[in-house]
Amino acid sequence: MDAPYAKLETLEPGIARVLAHNPSAFTYYGTQTYLLGEREVAVVDPGPNLSEHVDALLEAIGGRPVAAIMCTHTHRDHSPASRALAKATGALIVGCAALSLEAAGPRADEAFDADYSPVRVLSDGEDITVDGRPVTAVATPGHTSNHLCYAYGDALFSGDHVMGWSTTVVFPPDGDMAAYMASLEKLRQRSDRTYYPAHGPAVTNPQQYVRGLIGHRLQREKQILRLLSEAPRDIPGIVANAYPRLDPRLVTAAGGSVLAHLLDLERRGLVERNEQQWSKAA
Ligand SMILES: [Zn+2]
C-alpha cells in the first residue's frame, strides 16, 4: 500500500491533509486529518492516537497557532489524538459533544472514544474563527448522534456522514436512520463546492452525490419491505438476501444498517417485530 501516510499534502490554499496509518474495512486507507488555515490553523478529526500520526501533525502545524482541535464525532478513529495534540500545542478541543452511551450495542464499547472531552461544544450554525474565516458547525446526526460537519468557505468537512469511498454505517442504538436521512437532506439543500470526508477521496459533485446516497437508502428500504412482504425474516436472513457477495468483515455492519432501517420502518408503522422475526405490518 503506497498511501501517503504521515505526509502533509496541500489540497488547495488553506486546506491540507495528513493521512493516519489506520487502514481497515471501515476506514479505507485510514483517517484523513485536515488542517484548515495558513497563518493560524484548526485541526479537523485529529484521528487515532498513533505517535507517528501525532508527530506528523505537529510537524505539519510547524509551530503555527492552533485555533482549535475539532472532531466530527467520537469514534475511535477520529478523536483520540485530540488529547495528545491539545497537550502538545495548548489548543482547545472544540466541536462535537461527548457521548454518554449506555451499555447497549455491540459497537458501543468498541467504537467510541469514552475519554473525549471538549472544552466547548458547538451547536448547529455556531462558528469559530480560524485564520480570519469562520468554521461553522453543521449538525448532521445519523452515523452518530453527535456528528457535526464543518463548513469553511465553500468546502465542507463531512466526517463519516458522507464519505468518498463507501456508504456510511448507521448502527443503532446511537446510529439512527431517520436522523441520517434528514441530515442528508440538509446537506442536499446546501451549496457547498467540495466535501472533504474523513475517509476516501474528496467529493467534487456534492449535490448529485448526496442525491445518490438518498436514493440508495430509499432503494434499500424498498428492498427490505419487499423481502418482508414475501415472508417474515430475521436480520441475518435479510442481510443474506439484500447484500449478496458481502465482504464477511462487513456482515455485522450490514446487520446494523438493516436494524436501523427496521427501527425507522417500525416507528412509521410499516413493519412489526415478533422476537427475532420482522414482518410487514398488516
Ligand atoms: Zn465514525
Side-chain angles (χ1 to χ4, degrees), residues 73 75 77-78 143-144 160:
H73 64 299
H75 277 150
D77 54 326
H78 290 258
H143 172 63
T144 60
D160 283 5

Side-chain angles (χ1 to χ4, degrees), residues 173-218:
D174 190 58
D176 183 303
M177 190 58 72
Y180 170 72
M181 292 296 280
S183 293
L184 285 178
E185 180 59 27
K186 182 175 187 171
L187 292 201
R188 196 187 63 77
Q189 291 180 22
R190 295 174 53 89
S191 50
D192 305 292
R193 169 186 47 91
T194 302
Y195 292 173
Y196 291 108
H199 309 284
V203 175
T204 53
N205 55 343
Q207 274 67 35
Q208 191 189 343
Y209 192 80
V210 168
R211 272 202 305 278
L213 292 177
I214 293 170
H216 170 77
R217 296 294 174 157
L218 293 176

Side-chain angles (χ1 to χ4, degrees), residues 209-227:
Y209 192 80
V210 168
R211 272 202 305 278
L213 292 177
I214 293 170
H216 170 77
R217 296 294 174 157
L218 293 176
Q219 278 301 114
R220 184 68 79 204
E221 180 180 292
K222 239 195 242 170
Q223 186 185 26
I224 290 171
L225 285 172
R226 184 176 52 72
L227 286 167

Side-chain angles (χ1 to χ4, degrees), residues 26 72-78 107 111-112 143-144 147 159-161 163 168-169 198-199:
F26 295 99
T72 58
H73 64 299
T74 48
H75 277 150
R76 283 198 183 158
D77 54 326
H78 290 258
R107 273 168 62 89
F112 282 93
H143 172 63
T144 60
H147 196 287
D160 283 5
H161 177 51
M163 300 194 284
T168 292
V169 174
H199 309 284

Side-chain angles (χ1 to χ4, degrees), residues 227-239:
L227 286 167
L228 295 185
S229 69
E230 293 166 9
R233 295 175 199 266
D234 62 8
I235 288 175
I238 296 171
V239 170

